[in-house]
Amino acid sequence: LATALTLGMSAEAFAKCGDFSFIAGDVNLQIGGVGAPVPVKVGMSVAAKDVIITGKDGMAQLVMVDKARLSLRFNSRLTVEKCDSDKGDADGTILSLFRGTLRTFTGLLSDSSRSKYQMKTRVATVGIRGSGNLLVQPDDGTIMYNYTIEGAHVTTENVTGRTIVSYPDQTVFARAGQAPVIIPTTAEIRNAAFNMVGTGGTGGTGDIGDTPPPPGGDVGNGPPPSQIIFSGNGVGFSIVDNTVPI
């Protein structure tokens, strides 16, 4: 009964940000960021302040009101802090990835929506100048990665405020308290960006091990590309949802 009432309140009280278009495995929604999470079904809506949680075998894809497409991988936790909604709100979108992996397609956003679109992690914030990326936040919260698939992205480290711009097929690595840098993009990163999701690996996110290697990579202070460990496949839309271009 409590779950039914909560779902009813969510539908009436909150403007819709988007709908779940695909679900696999263990996926739950904490409505408004409070209370017990409820299992997600295809067609359910998501609103501002909702938290999406995927388990070790879970994956979720969403079609948002602002025309963005999101794909959340296993062992992930994403909060929709604010969004453009079906009620006409156009204050911009902020997505907060506490852990895990998020694949986005934002190419259909209007120019005004794109300028107010942010993806936050515990280490850095990513703004978009383009249309597709793969964002990874390992469990320990001290490093993050952003791979630009299409367009461009601006990554700003949260402590130093240092910023770097990445372009197609470039990967940004950020460590808390240090300036973000471009590191070599490996085949594993590309695979994670373009292929269908697989099953969870040994890392806390399923994509990158939680314990980063020491600094001293080939570019800047990132880890050597041979030590960037991806497990399973990626979160591309082409297999699961062929209506979304990549």
Side-chain angles (χ1 to χ4, degrees):
L1 179 59
T3 299
L5 290 174
T6 303
L7 288 171
M9 289 173 61
S10 177
E12 295 177 7
F14 300 110
K16 182 176 74 171
C17 297
D19 297 313
F20 288 92
S21 59
F22 176 88
I23 296 295
D26 181 24
V27 181
N28 292 278
L29 184 69
Q30 187 180 38
I31 298 170
V34 297
V38 298
V40 172
K41 297 180 180 179
V42 171
M44 282 180 60
S45 297
V46 63
K49 308 302 181 184
D50 286 354
V51 180
I52 306 166
I53 306 164
T54 60
K56 64 181 181 180
D57 64 345
M59 175 181 172
Q61 292 190 354
L62 299 96
V63 178
M64 307 301 282
V65 169
D66 61 11
K67 299 183 180 180
R69 268 64 168 170
L70 311 179
S71 185
L72 191 64
R73 286 195 61 178
F74 45 83
N75 289 339
S76 297
R77 183 182 181 94
L78 178 73
T79 299
V80 181
E81 292 193 11
K82 60 183 292 190
C83 65
D84 291 348
S85 76
D86 61 344
K87 303 297 185 184
D89 302 322
D91 295 330
T93 293
I94 299 178
L95 305 175
S96 182
L97 184 65
F98 182 79
R99 68 168 182 267
T101 305
L102 175 68
R103 163 71 160 89
T104 73
F105 174 77
T106 52
L108 299 180
L109 268 65
S110 66
D111 289 341
S112 60
S113 294
R114 187 176 290 116
S115 66
K116 296 180 288 186
Y117 199 101
Q118 291 186 333
M119 292 165 282
K120 297 166 55 178
T121 72
R122 288 180 281 170
V123 176
T125 298
V126 178
I128 64 172
R129 295 181 180 175
S131 55
N133 72 308
L134 182 80
L135 183 64
V136 181
Q137 173 62 76
D139 276 353
D140 74 348
T142 64
I143 60 173
M144 62 81 70
Y145 298 82
N146 184 66
Y147 172 63
T148 295
I149 299 170
E150 296 174 310
H153 295 88
V154 181
T155 301
T156 303
E157 196 275 326
N158 293 336
V159 177
T160 65
R162 298 287 296 275
T163 293
I164 194 168
V165 179
S166 56
Y167 297 94
D169 203 36
Q170 290 187 331
T171 300
V172 169
F173 168 80
R175 189 186 300 274
Q178 299 181 17
V181 295
I182 301 291
I183 62 172
T185 297
T186 66
E188 289 81 8
I189 292 175
R190 294 187 188 96
N191 180 61
F194 290 106
N195 292 328
M196 182 176 173
V197 68
T199 57
T202 57
T205 67
D207 289 320
I208 290 181
D210 293 331
T211 303
D218 293 351
V219 179
N221 64 350
S226 62
Q227 296 185 35
I228 302 175
I229 302 171
F230 281 76
S231 57
N233 293 318
V235 279
F237 294 101
S238 57
I239 297 175
V240 174
D241 183 354
N242 60 15
T243 65
V244 181
I246 59 173

